[in-house]
Amino acid sequence: MKTRRDTQPITMVYDIPSLLPPGTTPVSRLYYEDWNIKVVDREKSGCDNYLSPNRRDFYKIMFMTSGTGLKTMGNYNYYINERTILFLHPNEIVCWRNTTPTVGGGIFCMFKKRYLDQHPSLKLIIDRYKFFTEKKILRVSEQSAKMIHSLLSQMKIESETAGELAEEAMQAYVQLILVESLKGTDYAPTSEITNDYRHVYDFFELLEKETNLANLDNPIRMRTAKEYAQKLNLNPNYLNGLVKKHTGQPISTLIKNRLLEESKALLVQTDWTLQEISQIIGFADQPNFSQFFKKYVGVTPNEFRRSPISPDYEGKVQSSEESIVV
């Protein structure tokens, strides 16, 4: 029997309203901040139904202390409740649906990929025990849950002090959390995803593959719903209907938004010319790309490159940052 959460559209990462002026909505609001590791209170940040198909540049440990939800990762659904810890890889395509009317309690810990390179001992334990790859969702004992919550709370205090050795101390806490999590047992999925959602997942995986690897030698080639449907051996109208059912948006809008997000990333992260970025995004010439970008972002690519973030950026988005990047 279908429940309300099965048909209720979920929020896309880039659909959440921005508090910033036009042209200052970044690919991921946390992406532009100079941080290596961050701890966020889940209850204060809020957590709506969402689908996060586009790449992130950080790992995320999510610890639930109360509330419930349905997490879709890969081909499986997981029923998540208290005393559950999740390890989300930057490349993971995830979907979250709340199954309770209020946001549950818990704490998020996020750290950048470069943070692992700076701390080989942390990377070693992650690789050795296959956290974020094979170990993704674990249910821990009540005693371990208390210990993990205490460690995360201490990390949050450490992050707020921002002392010279804060990041050093925090990586040690993360290692302790990983070790404590090993005392848990693997969390079995409750069910496989439906065929409908499998097609939606395949579409987003293909969209991410097409845009994620884009560069000067490998420009984006697929830009229409028809091209994606053909690649997936599906009828375009059928695929579009499934995607719209689950996200509330047609494929054309999702492709457009993903192209804009990748454009913003290239403008900020590279020194490539506008002509080069235009070709990477799939435009024949720069004027058409600039017109496309300004129409939907509100400023020209050059203006965005010079000032992607407003002066009041940090203060304005602090209260909602986690809902943008989950």
Side-chain angles (χ1 to χ4, degrees), residues 115-133:
Y115 190 67
L116 287 184
D117 297 329
Q118 296 168 4
H119 299 282
S121 59
L122 175 59
K123 187 176 188 300
L124 179 63
I125 191 172
I126 287 176
D127 292 343
R128 177 182 296 172
Y129 294 103
K130 297 180 172 56
F131 285 102
F132 300 98
T133 52

Side-chain angles (χ1 to χ4, degrees), residues 88-313:
L88 306 181
H89 192 277
N91 297 334
E92 194 82 62
I93 297 177
V94 298
C95 174
W96 173 267
R97 295 181 179 90
N98 287 309
T99 55
T100 51
T102 57
V103 174
I107 300 179
F108 297 135
C109 170
M110 300 165 286
F111 50 89
K112 296 289 186 77
K113 293 179 179 179
R114 62 173 179 255
Y115 190 67
L116 287 184
D117 297 329
Q118 296 168 4
H119 299 282
S121 59
L122 175 59
K123 187 176 188 300
L124 179 63
I125 191 172
I126 287 176
D127 292 343
R128 177 182 296 172
Y129 294 103
K130 297 180 172 56
F131 285 102
F132 300 98
T133 52
E134 292 183 9
K135 289 185 176 65
K136 298 181 181 181
I137 301 179
L138 300 174
R139 177 69 182 268
V140 299
S141 66
E142 187 172 349
Q143 181 178 355
S144 291
K146 290 179 180 178
M147 177 63 73
I148 291 171
H149 188 265
S150 175
L151 291 168
L152 284 167
S153 298
Q154 288 297 317
M155 282 184 66
K156 193 169 188 302
I157 294 173
E158 195 73 43
S159 68
E160 291 168 351
T161 62
E164 183 177 350
L165 297 177
E167 289 190 358
E168 292 289 340
M170 291 171 73
Q171 67 88 23
Y173 281 118
V174 174
Q175 291 191 54
L176 290 172
I177 290 168
L178 297 178
V179 171
E180 192 65 37
S181 299
L182 290 173
K183 300 175 183 178
T185 56
D186 287 340
Y187 201 97
T190 57
S191 63
E192 291 192 12
I193 60 176
T194 63
N195 285 332
D196 282 4
Y197 189 81
R198 190 184 306 277
H199 293 321
V200 175
Y201 176 90
D202 289 344
F203 162 70
F204 278 114
E205 188 173 45
L206 186 59
L207 176 62
E208 181 59 23
K209 181 179 179 181
E210 180 73 8
T211 53
N212 192 358
L213 302 178
N215 55 49
L216 292 171
D217 298 320
N218 185 39
I220 294 172
R221 293 180 173 83
M222 293 193 296
R223 293 164 49 89
T224 67
K226 183 178 179 180
E227 290 170 315
Y228 279 92
Q230 287 177 340
K231 191 74 173 180
L232 296 172
N233 296 315
L234 295 171
N235 178 279
N237 292 332
Y238 174 69
L239 178 62
N240 192 61
L242 290 179
V243 172
K244 190 171 183 179
K245 170 187 173 183
H246 283 274
T247 68
Q249 294 183 330
I251 289 179
S252 59
T253 299
L254 299 175
I255 294 174
K256 176 202 71 179
N257 288 341
R258 191 65 185 91
L259 293 177
L260 288 170
E261 297 301 297
E262 197 61 26
S263 299
K264 293 175 184 178
L266 294 176
L267 287 167
V268 174
Q269 298 171 26
T270 75
D271 58 0
W272 294 334
T273 67
L274 293 188
Q275 179 60 39
E276 289 172 328
I277 293 176
S278 301
Q279 293 174 354
I280 292 170
I281 299 301
F283 285 84
D285 55 65
Q286 182 204 320
N288 281 335
F289 167 70
S290 296
Q291 184 180 14
F292 164 78
F293 191 90
K294 184 172 183 179
K295 178 180 179 181
Y296 294 107
V297 179
V299 295
T300 67
N302 266 330
E303 289 171 332
F304 181 85
R305 170 171 265 174
R306 288 195 298 266
S307 182
I309 308 168
S310 69
D312 297 329
Y313 160 67

